[in-house]
Structures are given as structure tokens and as C-alpha cells.
Amino acid sequence: MTPALDPRDRGGPGQPLVSVRGLVKHFPIKKGLGRARAVVQAVDGIDFDILKGETLGVVGESGCGKSTTARLLMGLIPHDRGDLLFDGEAIGGRDLPLRDFRRQAQMVFQDSYSSLNPRMTIEASISFGPRVHGTPARRAIEEARALLARVGLEPARFAGRYPHELSGGQRQRVNIARALALNPRLVVLDEAVSALDKSVEAQVLNLLLDLKEEFGLTYLFISHDLNVVRFICDRVAVMYLGRVVEIGPAEAVLGAPAHPYTAALLASMPSLDPDRRTEEPPLAGDPPNPIDPPSGCRFHPRCAWGEPVCAKEDPALADIGPHHAVACLARQPGAAHSRAPLLEREAA
Amino acid sequence: MSPETEPLVKVENLAVAFRGGVRAVDGVDLTVRRGEVVALIGESGSGKSVTLRAIMRLNPERTSRVEGRIRVAGQDVMALPKRALADFRGRTVAMIFQEPLLALDPVYTLGRQIAEAVRRHEGVSEAEARARALAMFERVRIPSPERRLDAYPHEMSGGMRQRAMIALALACRPQLLLADEPTTALDATVQIQILLLLRELQRELGLSAIFVTHDLGAAVEVADRIAVMYAGRIVEEGSARQVVLSPQHPYTVGLLKSRADGALAKGARLVTIPGSPPDLARRPPGCAFAPRCPLADEACRRDPPVVSPAPGHRAACWRVPGADAAEPAQRADAA
Ligand SMILES: Nc1ncnc2c1ncn2[C@@H]1O[C@H](COP(=O)(O)OP(=O)(O)O)[C@@H](O)[C@H]1O
Ligand SMILES: Nc1ncnc2c1ncn2[C@@H]1O[C@H](COP(=O)(O)OP(=O)(O)O)[C@@H](O)[C@H]1O
Ligand SMILES: [Mg+2]
Ligand SMILES: [Mg+2]
């Protein structure tokens, strides 16, 4: 595959493109007038890798820290603690200054307007990044036009248009072209197809798959739509209140979820079968606020399997199968949860 | 027809055009029986919200032209005088939206807003109106309802605000609920709670409802019947089972096929509908879907006939079996 041939590759195919370890980001906020300051534990100690050439999905309810994780990874906001490595080198460190990293990692947002300058033509927007990084203007424009054609927008018709003259789907194609203009290795897609109509979403998903093959890309794909994630992702991380609660191959996590929260997310998807409509909502209430997360397992107040021990012990992410890990006491051998498997020693 | 068997809503040949030439709705027929939920699905810009607003006469009077017939609960909506219209809105028909903050007044407590609405429409005492507000909060299962009545809209979470808006809409016991994408902005875990709540309230109160959504899954969860809109027209309508399990119109077929939830092999590509919906100011003649349709031929340049493949199921398409024998559809622009 192409990643191995990439001259920028450092660690070879076996080294993850991204490694995140113990990542923490708390936002201090004022809580009411004159009241004590509080912190939002937006990201609270997460670990994951993104392998070269794969698509890692991140799912979870709004406020669980998906976008914050993406912004931390992109170096758009500083982290409080933890390590962020790109192909083995610390992002923003001596060997990989932010400027060099940014050529290799790009982001596409849900709001297709947000990263396009309303007063710039499409081709000017796409060629802007390469020009800042030293590509001569004429070549940058030529490449921008080639990219427009590649994302399905005829350059002769679209290059000179302004963002407001395009539909949402067309603007998102422009954003993808803009992201690719610097020839990145990693593309972070934060709800990038969520605002599109279904028929347009399907077109853009196909485009993303084609571009990934063609340019040897690696994706971090954030979405709240589990059907889309199942379709496009190789592996999936499920987040809840600033933590990763389950991570593994897409078929395993979404096909046989191990965490009760993952199971509830899946069961919340509307059924498409008129004869088997959903009878009971899998979860009650709104997603909780990460200002005062519950003690122990953060999911325990909403969990169908909650037991007293869950309010006391904070489960760590532990392996339960090939490349499949889950943070749940009910799955942890030897834990004081009635469903917990026995330790091998005890079982013997 | 007797009043009981007469449908609660009968929209005939509805057309809404805006200044500048946009024909947002172009010949819509829609019937909703008593106690029935009809989902109106379609992509953005297909005319769903404009159709709903026409039923409440909420499209801007100065910049829109509305034609056709709309009867709701025996009343000719287009002919209602101003006073009767104010009564009609709220008492006969109520509407809920995607964004509750549009329906709720930020400067009054929720209890006050609901009580006010009840007093205005029913002239009951303040105590009675307050009791109704509390009963509604209990009905939509807002926890600690008494305390929450004194909350302001911004003090509530998204799902709770949605419940409060439903309480406000249903407080004056309307017969018809118009819901415009009420769950679109919610997390899936909250969306399913609100969908099931709406289904339960609708059953208990014997409400009729038109539920607008772009999400087929949400439609299947709540609707008895589904109407599919494309470029200002209903292209297919039937029971939820008919539309989902045996879709007839190529647009419906395409929508169902392009969903990412089929059992696909890894790396496979989705089946997509090429192109994008037409500019409504320059609608192609005949079937508006023809330029994107894999089955289109010469015939499709003429207005498609309405074909009924099974009782209660209709599709407007030349390529549905039986179309050749059918009568061309009557259209607003043909009249
Ligand atoms: N700049 C900020 N200041 C304060 N709180 C923030 C900021 N950015 C995000 N948050 C909070 O952090 C939490 C996680 O947010 P986010 O990462 O955007 O979640 P998601 O993308 O999963 O919806 C939320 O409670 C959000 O309100
Ligand atoms: N008040 C208005 N003035 C002019 N055009 C409008 C107005 N309201 C809606 N439209 C246009 O009518 C078409 C249908 O809109 P709408 O019914 O809101 O679509 P949707 O199916 O997404 O709800 C769109 O092209 C929209 O821009
Ligand atoms: Mg986000
Ligand atoms: Mg709408």
C-alpha cells in the first residue's frame, strides 16, 4: 500500500500514524454569577492509536469530547496532559514542529462554511494553503483546479464561484479539496457528512473512500451516525463523558458490542422495519454534563447493569478480544460485579 | 361522508409560489384521517416546511401565493377570517419545531407560557390554567414538573426543552399536530425517547399528526403512512410498510438503496442517486426527478400519471407498471 512508499514515512507500516496517550483537556468555566469556578472535563485521560491507512471512527453523544479530541490532535488547542505522537514523533516537539505537522494533517468540519473565506473564490481558497507553504501561485491554482475536478466539481464552472453560490454538498466537496491541497497523510473529518442530505451524503462517502485509496490517506472519522461509521470505518472508538469506553474493529464493536453504553447507542438507532418498531427507549434522559461527572464508572447512573460497585470503581480500558478493549466492570475478570467473568486462576 | 369518517385533513392541489418565481410546493394532495400519523419525508428544499406552514397559513402573506384547497376539521383554512384563524392555531392545530427556542419565549417561565396559551384559548381561571400546565408537564414526563414549570427555556437541556415545547403545543388539546423535524437536532439516544413519547401521546389523545422529517428511520418509528416529497410534489405515498418494503418511485427506491446500513462488504461503494435536486425556479417539464433517474425516457418529459399499485399506495411515475393506462395527474399549473 502507498503509505509504506511515502517518503515522509518514519516508522514503517507497523508504527501507528497517530498515538494518543493519557490525553487530558479540562476547560475552566465560570459557573453562575460569583460562584466558584468549575472545570469541564471535556477529555479526561484517553488512549488510542490510528494505524497507517485505516479509518478510525469516533462515536458518542454530543458533549462527550469528540471535537475536543480532534482539535487537540490537530494542535488547534493545547492539551493539559498526555502525549500526542505522529508517526512516532511528538506533535509540536523538536522533531515535528506544528508547522511541519500541519502540512501532514488536515481537518474537515460539519459546517461547510466555517473553513471557507466568504470573500475568496473556491480556487483561491483551495490554493491558499499551498501558497502559504511556498508553492508558486500559478502552480497552486493549477493544482486547485485538478483537485476540484477530482472531487467532482467541474473547474470551468466552479473555480470562480464563491462559497454562498454552492449547495452544502458542493461546499463540502470544496472543503475536502482544500484539505487535500497540502497532500496530507491524515485527514480528520469531524461530522463532515452530518449536515448533508442522505443522497448527497452517500456521494460524499463514496468520494472519501476513493480519495483514501488514491492518496493513501488515513482518516479519523467523527460521526454520530452509527450506520455511516459501520460503513466507512475499520475500527471504532466509543466515547462517553471524556473517556473512551470501548474500542475495536468496527464489526466487533458495532456487531457485538461489549460495553452496555455501546449497546444502548446501537439500540437507539431508529428501526427501518415497520413491523419491528422500537418499544422502549434504551436510555433515559439527556447526555450528562461533563462538569460533574459521576463517580466510579461515568455511565453507571444510566446503565442497565449498574451495581453499587460501579459507583465506586473507575474501570480501565482492558482487552477482551483481539484488538478489542472495553472499560466496564461487568467485563473485567475478577471485578466485584455480578456479571464479571472469573479470573482464570479462580476458574481453574 | 359523516363527520367521523371524513378525514381530518384534506389538502388538494396545494401550490405555494414565492416572489422571485420559486414554486416551492407544486400540486400537493394529502389526506390525514382521524388518529393517523402521516410522515412527510424528503430532502432539504423539497417543500416540506412550506406545506406544513400552508396548513396553518403561516407562509408570509405579502411574498407568497397559495392556491388549492385545505380543509382541516371541517374548516376551509384558506377562507378563515383573522379572528377564526387565531383560534384555529393552537386549538385545532398546533406545531412543533426542530428548534424549541423558536417556539418558546425566552423571557417567560415555561409554566407561564403554557398557562397563558390555555387562558387565551379557553378563558379558564389562572389556577385552572396552571393546573393544566402541570398536567402537561407530567404527561410529557418532565422530571420534577412542579419545579420545572418555573424554569426559563434556556435553563433546560435540549431533550427537556423539546418536551416542554410538546407540552405547550398540546396544552389546548388540538386535533392536529404538525411536527417539523422535531428530533433532527437531537442525539440518537434522546431522539428515540422523543419519538416514542410522540407516538404514545398521539395514541392516547387520538391526535392526527403530520410529521416532517428527512430521516426515513424516524418516519418509520412514528408514522402509519409515509409521503415522499421531491421538488415540491409528493412522488409516492403509502403505508409505512408499502413505502419501505415495496417502494415504487425510482426516487424512493434510490433513497432506500443509498443508505449506509445495508450489509455491505468492506470497501464496497454505496449505490447513489447522481446529481442534486432541481432549482425550483427552473423546474424541468414533466417529472422533476427525470434528470437523475436511471429509468427516465422520453415519456418522462410529460407530467407523470398517478399509479396505484395497491390499495392506499400511489406513485407519480411513468415507469411504474400500469402507468400507461393511467390518467395524467391533475396539476396546479395545468388547471
Ligand atoms: N472552549 C471551550 N470552553 C468550555 N467548554 C468547552 C469548550 N469546548 C468544548 N467544551 C465543552 O467540552 C465538552 C466536550 O465538547 P466537544 O468536544 O465539542 O463534544 P462533542 O464534539 O463530542 O459534541 C462539552 O461539554 C463542551 O461544552
Ligand atoms: N419565505 C420564503 N420565501 C422565499 N422562499 C422560500 C420561503 N420559504 C421557503 N422558501 C423556499 O421554498 C423551498 C422549499 O422550502 P422548505 O419547505 O423549507 O423545504 P424543506 O423541505 O427543507 O422543509 C426552498 O427552495 C426554500 O428556499
Ligand atoms: Mg462535536
Ligand atoms: Mg424544513
Side-chain angles (χ1 to χ4, degrees), chain A residues 110 193-199 201 224-225 270 272, chain B residues 39-46 48-49 98 179-186 191 211-220 226-229 251 255-256 258-259:
Chain A
Q110 169 170 0
V193 298
S194 303
L196 305 178
D197 277 315
K198 284 286 160 201
S199 76
E201 177 187 270
H224 64 273
D225 187 335
L272 249 193
Chain B
L40 199 54
I41 72 162
E43 297 181 86
S44 53
S46 57
K48 306 181 296 295
S49 296
Q98 175 173 339
D180 196 351
E181 311 243 13
T183 62
T184 298
L186 303 172
Q191 158 167 290
F211 185 93
V212 161
T213 178
H214 65 270
D215 180 356
L216 200 56
V220 170
I226 294 179
V228 182
M229 264 190 108
Y251 175 62
L255 272 186
L256 280 160
S258 69
R259 292 180 58 96

CSV table of all heavy atoms in Angstrom, one decimal, chain A residues 110 193-199 201 224-225 270 272, chain B residues 39-46 48-49 98 179-186 191 211-220 226-229 251 255-256 258-259:
chain,number,residue,atom,x,y,z
A,110,GLN,N,-18.1,20.0,10.2
A,110,GLN,CA,-19.5,19.8,9.8
A,110,GLN,C,-20.0,21.0,9.0
A,110,GLN,O,-20.7,20.9,8.0
A,110,GLN,CB,-20.4,19.5,11.0
A,110,GLN,CG,-21.9,19.6,10.7
A,110,GLN,CD,-22.7,19.1,11.9
A,110,GLN,OE1,-22.2,18.7,12.9
A,110,GLN,NE2,-24.0,19.1,11.7
A,193,VAL,N,-20.0,14.8,7.1
A,193,VAL,CA,-21.2,14.5,6.2
A,193,VAL,C,-22.5,14.7,6.9
A,193,VAL,O,-23.5,14.5,6.3
A,193,VAL,CB,-21.1,13.1,5.6
A,193,VAL,CG1,-19.9,12.9,4.7
A,193,VAL,CG2,-21.1,12.0,6.6
A,194,SER,N,-22.4,15.1,8.2
A,194,SER,CA,-23.7,15.0,9.0
A,194,SER,C,-24.7,16.0,8.6
A,194,SER,O,-25.9,15.8,8.8
A,194,SER,CB,-23.3,15.3,10.5
A,194,SER,OG,-22.4,14.3,10.9
A,195,ALA,N,-24.3,17.1,8.0
A,195,ALA,CA,-25.3,18.1,7.6
A,195,ALA,C,-25.9,17.9,6.2
A,195,ALA,O,-26.7,18.7,5.7
A,195,ALA,CB,-24.7,19.5,7.7
A,196,LEU,N,-25.4,16.9,5.5
A,196,LEU,CA,-25.8,16.7,4.1
A,196,LEU,C,-27.0,15.8,4.0
A,196,LEU,O,-27.3,15.0,4.8
A,196,LEU,CB,-24.7,16.0,3.3
A,196,LEU,CG,-23.3,16.7,3.4
A,196,LEU,CD1,-22.3,15.9,2.6
A,196,LEU,CD2,-23.4,18.1,2.8
A,197,ASP,N,-27.8,16.1,2.9
A,197,ASP,CA,-28.9,15.2,2.7
A,197,ASP,C,-28.4,13.8,2.4
A,197,ASP,O,-27.3,13.6,1.9
A,197,ASP,CB,-29.7,15.7,1.5
A,197,ASP,CG,-30.7,16.8,1.9
A,197,ASP,OD1,-31.4,16.6,2.9
A,197,ASP,OD2,-30.8,17.8,1.2
A,198,LYS,N,-29.3,12.8,2.6
A,198,LYS,CA,-28.9,11.4,2.5
A,198,LYS,C,-28.3,11.1,1.1
A,198,LYS,O,-27.3,10.4,1.0
A,198,LYS,CB,-30.0,10.5,2.8
A,198,LYS,CG,-30.3,10.4,4.3
A,198,LYS,CD,-29.2,9.6,5.1
A,198,LYS,CE,-29.3,9.9,6.6
A,198,LYS,NZ,-28.0,9.5,7.3
A,199,SER,N,-28.9,11.5,0.1
A,199,SER,CA,-28.4,11.1,-1.2
A,199,SER,C,-27.1,11.8,-1.5
A,199,SER,O,-26.2,11.2,-2.2
A,199,SER,CB,-29.5,11.5,-2.3
A,199,SER,OG,-29.5,12.9,-2.6
A,201,GLU,N,-25.0,12.7,1.0
A,201,GLU,CA,-24.1,12.1,1.9
A,201,GLU,C,-23.5,10.8,1.3
A,201,GLU,O,-22.3,10.6,1.4
A,201,GLU,CB,-24.8,11.7,3.2
A,201,GLU,CG,-24.0,11.0,4.2
A,201,GLU,CD,-24.9,10.5,5.4
A,201,GLU,OE1,-25.0,11.3,6.3
A,201,GLU,OE2,-25.4,9.4,5.3
A,224,HIS,N,-22.0,10.9,14.5
A,224,HIS,CA,-23.0,10.4,15.5
A,224,HIS,C,-23.8,9.3,14.8
A,224,HIS,O,-24.7,8.7,15.4
A,224,HIS,CB,-23.9,11.5,16.0
A,224,HIS,CG,-24.7,12.1,14.9
A,224,HIS,ND1,-24.2,13.1,14.2
A,224,HIS,CD2,-25.9,11.8,14.5
A,224,HIS,CE1,-25.2,13.4,13.3
A,224,HIS,NE2,-26.2,12.6,13.4
A,225,ASP,N,-23.6,9.1,13.5
A,225,ASP,CA,-24.4,8.1,12.7
A,225,ASP,C,-23.7,6.7,12.7
A,225,ASP,O,-22.8,6.6,11.9
A,225,ASP,CB,-24.7,8.7,11.3
A,225,ASP,CG,-25.7,7.8,10.6
A,225,ASP,OD1,-25.8,6.6,10.9
A,225,ASP,OD2,-26.3,8.3,9.6
A,270,PRO,N,-33.1,4.4,15.0
A,270,PRO,CA,-34.4,4.0,14.6
A,270,PRO,C,-34.4,2.8,13.8
A,270,PRO,O,-33.5,2.5,13.0
A,270,PRO,CB,-34.9,5.2,13.7
A,270,PRO,CG,-34.0,6.3,14.1
A,270,PRO,CD,-32.7,5.7,14.5
A,272,LEU,N,-35.7,0.4,10.8
A,272,LEU,CA,-36.2,0.7,9.5
A,272,LEU,C,-37.3,-0.3,9.1
A,272,LEU,O,-37.7,-0.4,8.0
A,272,LEU,CB,-35.1,0.7,8.4
A,272,LEU,CG,-34.8,2.0,7.8
A,272,LEU,CD1,-33.9,1.9,6.6
A,272,LEU,CD2,-36.0,2.9,7.5
B,39,ALA,N,-46.1,10.7,7.8
B,39,ALA,CA,-44.8,11.3,7.8
B,39,ALA,C,-44.6,11.9,6.4
B,39,ALA,O,-44.9,11.3,5.4
B,39,ALA,CB,-43.7,10.3,8.1
B,40,LEU,N,-44.1,13.1,6.3
B,40,LEU,CA,-43.7,13.8,5.0
B,40,LEU,C,-42.2,13.8,5.0
B,40,LEU,O,-41.6,14.5,5.8
B,40,LEU,CB,-44.3,15.2,5.1
B,40,LEU,CG,-44.5,16.0,3.8
B,40,LEU,CD1,-45.4,15.2,2.8
B,40,LEU,CD2,-45.2,17.3,4.1
B,41,ILE,N,-41.6,13.0,4.1
B,41,ILE,CA,-40.2,12.9,4.1
B,41,ILE,C,-39.7,13.5,2.7
B,41,ILE,O,-40.4,13.5,1.7
B,41,ILE,CB,-39.6,11.5,4.3
B,41,ILE,CG1,-39.9,10.6,3.1
B,41,ILE,CG2,-40.2,10.9,5.6
B,41,ILE,CD1,-39.0,9.4,3.2
B,42,GLY,N,-38.4,13.9,2.8
B,42,GLY,CA,-37.8,14.4,1.6
B,42,GLY,C,-36.6,15.2,1.9
B,42,GLY,O,-36.4,15.5,3.1
B,43,GLU,N,-35.8,15.5,0.9
B,43,GLU,CA,-34.5,16.2,1.2
B,43,GLU,C,-34.8,17.7,1.4
B,43,GLU,O,-35.9,18.2,1.2
B,43,GLU,CB,-33.5,16.0,0.0
B,43,GLU,CG,-33.2,14.5,-0.1
B,43,GLU,CD,-32.2,14.3,-1.2
B,43,GLU,OE1,-31.0,14.3,-1.0
B,43,GLU,OE2,-32.7,14.0,-2.3
B,44,SER,N,-33.7,18.4,1.9
B,44,SER,CA,-33.9,19.8,2.2
B,44,SER,C,-34.3,20.6,1.0
B,44,SER,O,-33.8,20.3,-0.1
B,44,SER,CB,-32.7,20.4,2.9
B,44,SER,OG,-31.6,20.2,2.1
B,45,GLY,N,-35.3,21.5,1.1
B,45,GLY,CA,-35.7,22.3,0.0
B,45,GLY,C,-36.8,21.6,-0.8
B,45,GLY,O,-37.3,22.2,-1.8
B,46,SER,N,-37.3,20.4,-0.4
B,46,SER,CA,-38.3,19.8,-1.2
B,46,SER,C,-39.7,20.3,-1.0
B,46,SER,O,-40.7,19.9,-1.6
B,46,SER,CB,-38.3,18.2,-1.0
B,46,SER,OG,-38.4,17.9,0.4
B,48,LYS,N,-41.3,20.6,2.3
B,48,LYS,CA,-42.0,20.0,3.4
B,48,LYS,C,-42.5,21.1,4.4
B,48,LYS,O,-43.6,21.1,4.8
B,48,LYS,CB,-41.0,19.0,4.2
B,48,LYS,CG,-40.4,18.0,3.3
B,48,LYS,CD,-39.5,17.0,4.1
B,48,LYS,CE,-38.3,17.6,4.7
B,48,LYS,NZ,-37.3,18.2,3.8
B,49,SER,N,-41.6,22.0,4.8
B,49,SER,CA,-41.9,23.0,5.8
B,49,SER,C,-43.0,24.0,5.2
B,49,SER,O,-43.9,24.4,5.9
B,49,SER,CB,-40.7,23.8,6.2
B,49,SER,OG,-39.8,23.0,6.9
B,98,GLN,N,-38.0,22.0,15.0
B,98,GLN,CA,-36.7,21.4,15.3
B,98,GLN,C,-36.0,22.2,16.5
B,98,GLN,O,-35.4,21.6,17.3
B,98,GLN,CB,-35.8,21.5,14.1
B,98,GLN,CG,-34.4,21.1,14.3
B,98,GLN,CD,-33.6,21.1,13.0
B,98,GLN,OE1,-34.1,21.0,11.9
B,98,GLN,NE2,-32.3,21.1,13.1
B,179,ALA,N,-45.5,18.6,13.1
B,179,ALA,CA,-44.2,18.4,13.7
B,179,ALA,C,-43.2,18.6,12.6
B,179,ALA,O,-43.1,17.8,11.7
B,179,ALA,CB,-44.1,17.1,14.3
B,180,ASP,N,-42.4,19.7,12.7
B,180,ASP,CA,-41.4,20.0,11.6
B,180,ASP,C,-40.0,19.6,12.1
B,180,ASP,O,-39.4,20.4,12.8
B,180,ASP,CB,-41.5,21.5,11.2
B,180,ASP,CG,-40.7,21.7,9.9
B,180,ASP,OD1,-40.1,20.8,9.4
B,180,ASP,OD2,-40.8,22.8,9.4
B,181,GLU,N,-39.6,18.4,11.8
B,181,GLU,CA,-38.3,17.9,12.2
B,181,GLU,C,-38.0,18.0,13.7
B,181,GLU,O,-36.9,18.5,14.1
B,181,GLU,CB,-37.1,18.6,11.4
B,181,GLU,CG,-37.4,18.7,9.9
B,181,GLU,CD,-36.4,18.0,9.1
B,181,GLU,OE1,-35.6,17.2,9.6
B,181,GLU,OE2,-36.4,18.2,7.8
B,182,PRO,N,-38.9,17.6,14.5
B,182,PRO,CA,-38.7,17.9,15.9
B,182,PRO,C,-37.6,17.1,16.6
B,182,PRO,O,-37.2,17.5,17.7
B,182,PRO,CB,-40.1,17.4,16.5
B,182,PRO,CG,-40.6,16.4,15.6
B,182,PRO,CD,-40.1,16.8,14.3
B,183,THR,N,-37.0,16.1,15.9
B,183,THR,CA,-36.0,15.4,16.6
B,183,THR,C,-34.6,15.4,15.8
B,183,THR,O,-33.7,14.8,16.2
B,183,THR,CB,-36.4,13.9,16.7
B,183,THR,OG1,-36.5,13.3,15.4
B,183,THR,CG2,-37.6,13.7,17.5
B,184,THR,N,-34.6,16.3,14.8
B,184,THR,CA,-33.4,16.3,13.9
B,184,THR,C,-32.2,16.7,14.6
B,184,THR,O,-31.1,16.2,14.4
B,184,THR,CB,-33.7,17.2,12.7
B,184,THR,OG1,-34.8,16.6,12.0
B,184,THR,CG2,-32.5,17.3,11.8
B,185,ALA,N,-32.3,17.7,15.5
B,185,ALA,CA,-31.0,18.2,16.2
B,185,ALA,C,-30.6,17.4,17.4
B,185,ALA,O,-29.7,17.7,18.1
B,185,ALA,CB,-31.2,19.6,16.5
B,186,LEU,N,-31.4,16.3,17.7
B,186,LEU,CA,-31.1,15.6,19.0
B,186,LEU,C,-30.2,14.4,18.8
B,186,LEU,O,-30.1,13.9,17.7
B,186,LEU,CB,-32.4,15.1,19.6
B,186,LEU,CG,-33.5,16.2,19.8
B,186,LEU,CD1,-34.8,15.5,20.2
B,186,LEU,CD2,-33.0,17.2,20.9
B,191,GLN,N,-33.4,11.3,20.7
B,191,GLN,CA,-34.4,11.3,19.6
B,191,GLN,C,-35.4,10.1,19.8
B,191,GLN,O,-36.6,10.3,19.6
B,191,GLN,CB,-33.6,11.1,18.2
B,191,GLN,CG,-34.6,10.5,17.2
B,191,GLN,CD,-34.1,10.6,15.8
B,191,GLN,OE1,-34.0,11.7,15.2
B,191,GLN,NE2,-33.7,9.5,15.2
B,211,PHE,N,-45.9,14.6,10.3
B,211,PHE,CA,-44.5,14.5,10.9
B,211,PHE,C,-43.5,14.7,9.8
B,211,PHE,O,-43.4,13.8,9.0
B,211,PHE,CB,-44.4,13.2,11.6
B,211,PHE,CG,-43.1,13.1,12.4
B,211,PHE,CD1,-43.0,13.4,13.7
B,211,PHE,CD2,-41.9,12.6,11.7
B,211,PHE,CE1,-41.8,13.2,14.4
B,211,PHE,CE2,-40.7,12.5,12.5
B,211,PHE,CZ,-40.7,12.8,13.8
B,212,VAL,N,-42.9,15.9,9.7
B,212,VAL,CA,-42.0,16.2,8.7
B,212,VAL,C,-40.6,15.8,9.1
B,212,VAL,O,-40.1,16.1,10.2
B,212,VAL,CB,-42.0,17.7,8.3
B,212,VAL,CG1,-40.7,18.1,7.6
B,212,VAL,CG2,-43.2,18.0,7.5
B,213,THR,N,-39.9,15.0,8.3
B,213,THR,CA,-38.5,14.6,8.6
B,213,THR,C,-37.7,14.3,7.3
B,213,THR,O,-38.3,14.1,6.3
B,213,THR,CB,-38.5,13.4,9.5
B,213,THR,OG1,-37.2,13.0,9.8
B,213,THR,CG2,-39.2,12.2,8.9
B,214,HIS,N,-36.4,14.4,7.4
B,214,HIS,CA,-35.6,13.9,6.3
B,214,HIS,C,-35.1,12.5,6.6
B,214,HIS,O,-34.4,11.9,5.8
B,214,HIS,CB,-34.5,14.9,5.9
B,214,HIS,CG,-33.5,14.9,7.0
B,214,HIS,ND1,-33.6,15.8,8.0
B,214,HIS,CD2,-32.4,14.2,7.3
B,214,HIS,CE1,-32.6,15.7,8.9
B,214,HIS,NE2,-31.9,14.7,8.4
B,215,ASP,N,-35.5,12.0,7.7
B,215,ASP,CA,-34.9,10.7,8.2
B,215,ASP,C,-36.0,9.6,8.1
B,215,ASP,O,-36.9,9.6,8.9
B,215,ASP,CB,-34.4,10.9,9.7
B,215,ASP,CG,-33.8,9.6,10.2
B,215,ASP,OD1,-33.9,8.6,9.5
B,215,ASP,OD2,-33.4,9.6,11.4
B,216,LEU,N,-35.8,8.7,7.2
B,216,LEU,CA,-36.7,7.6,6.9
B,216,LEU,C,-36.9,6.8,8.2
B,216,LEU,O,-38.0,6.3,8.5
B,216,LEU,CB,-36.2,6.8,5.8
B,216,LEU,CG,-37.2,5.9,5.1
B,216,LEU,CD1,-38.3,6.7,4.5
B,216,LEU,CD2,-36.4,5.2,3.9
B,217,GLY,N,-35.8,6.6,8.9
B,217,GLY,CA,-35.9,5.8,10.2
B,217,GLY,C,-36.8,6.4,11.2
B,217,GLY,O,-37.7,5.7,11.8
B,218,ALA,N,-36.7,7.7,11.4
B,218,ALA,CA,-37.6,8.4,12.3
B,218,ALA,C,-39.1,8.3,11.8
B,218,ALA,O,-40.0,8.1,12.6
B,218,ALA,CB,-37.2,9.9,12.4
B,219,ALA,N,-39.3,8.4,10.5
B,219,ALA,CA,-40.6,8.3,9.9
B,219,ALA,C,-41.2,6.9,10.2
B,219,ALA,O,-42.4,6.8,10.7
B,219,ALA,CB,-40.6,8.5,8.4
B,220,VAL,N,-40.4,5.9,10.1
B,220,VAL,CA,-40.9,4.5,10.3
B,220,VAL,C,-41.3,4.3,11.7
B,220,VAL,O,-42.3,3.6,12.0
B,220,VAL,CB,-39.9,3.5,9.8
B,220,VAL,CG1,-40.2,2.1,10.3
B,220,VAL,CG2,-39.7,3.5,8.3
B,226,ILE,N,-46.5,7.1,4.9
B,226,ILE,CA,-45.4,7.9,4.6
B,226,ILE,C,-45.6,8.5,3.2
B,226,ILE,O,-46.1,7.8,2.3
B,226,ILE,CB,-44.1,7.1,4.5
B,226,ILE,CG1,-43.7,6.6,5.9
B,226,ILE,CG2,-42.9,7.9,4.0
B,226,ILE,CD1,-42.5,5.7,6.0
B,227,ALA,N,-45.4,9.9,3.1
B,227,ALA,CA,-45.5,10.5,1.8
B,227,ALA,C,-44.1,11.1,1.5
B,227,ALA,O,-43.5,11.7,2.3
B,227,ALA,CB,-46.5,11.7,1.9
B,228,VAL,N,-43.6,10.8,0.3
B,228,VAL,CA,-42.3,11.1,-0.1
B,228,VAL,C,-42.4,12.4,-1.0
B,228,VAL,O,-43.0,12.3,-2.0
B,228,VAL,CB,-41.6,10.0,-0.9
B,228,VAL,CG1,-40.1,10.4,-1.2
B,228,VAL,CG2,-41.6,8.7,0.0
B,229,MET,N,-41.7,13.4,-0.6
B,229,MET,CA,-41.7,14.7,-1.4
B,229,MET,C,-40.5,14.8,-2.2
B,229,MET,O,-39.4,14.5,-1.7
B,229,MET,CB,-41.9,15.9,-0.5
B,229,MET,CG,-43.3,16.3,-0.4
B,229,MET,SD,-43.4,17.9,0.5
B,229,MET,CE,-43.9,19.0,-0.9
B,251,TYR,N,-37.2,7.4,-7.1
B,251,TYR,CA,-36.6,8.3,-6.1
B,251,TYR,C,-36.6,7.6,-4.8
B,251,TYR,O,-35.6,7.5,-4.1
B,251,TYR,CB,-37.3,9.6,-6.0
B,251,TYR,CG,-36.7,10.5,-4.9
B,251,TYR,CD1,-35.4,10.9,-4.9
B,251,TYR,CD2,-37.5,10.9,-3.9
B,251,TYR,CE1,-34.9,11.7,-3.9
B,251,TYR,CE2,-37.0,11.7,-2.8
B,251,TYR,CZ,-35.7,12.1,-2.9
B,251,TYR,OH,-35.2,12.9,-1.9
B,255,LEU,N,-33.4,6.3,-2.6
B,255,LEU,CA,-33.1,6.8,-1.2
B,255,LEU,C,-32.9,5.5,-0.3
B,255,LEU,O,-32.0,5.5,0.5
B,255,LEU,CB,-34.4,7.5,-0.7
B,255,LEU,CG,-34.5,9.0,-0.9
B,255,LEU,CD1,-35.7,9.5,-0.1
B,255,LEU,CD2,-33.2,9.7,-0.4
B,256,LEU,N,-33.7,4.5,-0.5
B,256,LEU,CA,-33.6,3.3,0.3
B,256,LEU,C,-32.2,2.6,0.0
B,256,LEU,O,-31.6,2.1,0.9
B,256,LEU,CB,-34.7,2.4,0.1
B,256,LEU,CG,-36.0,2.8,0.9
B,256,LEU,CD1,-37.2,2.2,0.3
B,256,LEU,CD2,-35.9,2.4,2.4
B,258,SER,N,-29.5,3.9,-1.1
B,258,SER,CA,-28.2,4.7,-0.8
B,258,SER,C,-27.9,4.7,0.7
B,258,SER,O,-26.9,5.3,1.1
B,258,SER,CB,-28.3,6.1,-1.4
B,258,SER,OG,-29.3,6.8,-0.7
B,259,ARG,N,-28.8,4.2,1.5
B,259,ARG,CA,-28.5,4.2,2.9
B,259,ARG,C,-27.3,3.3,3.2
B,259,ARG,O,-27.1,2.3,2.6
B,259,ARG,CB,-29.7,3.7,3.7
B,259,ARG,CG,-30.9,4.7,3.6
B,259,ARG,CD,-32.0,4.1,4.4
B,259,ARG,NE,-31.6,3.9,5.8
B,259,ARG,CZ,-31.8,4.8,6.8
B,259,ARG,NH1,-32.4,5.9,6.5
B,259,ARG,NH2,-31.4,4.6,8.0
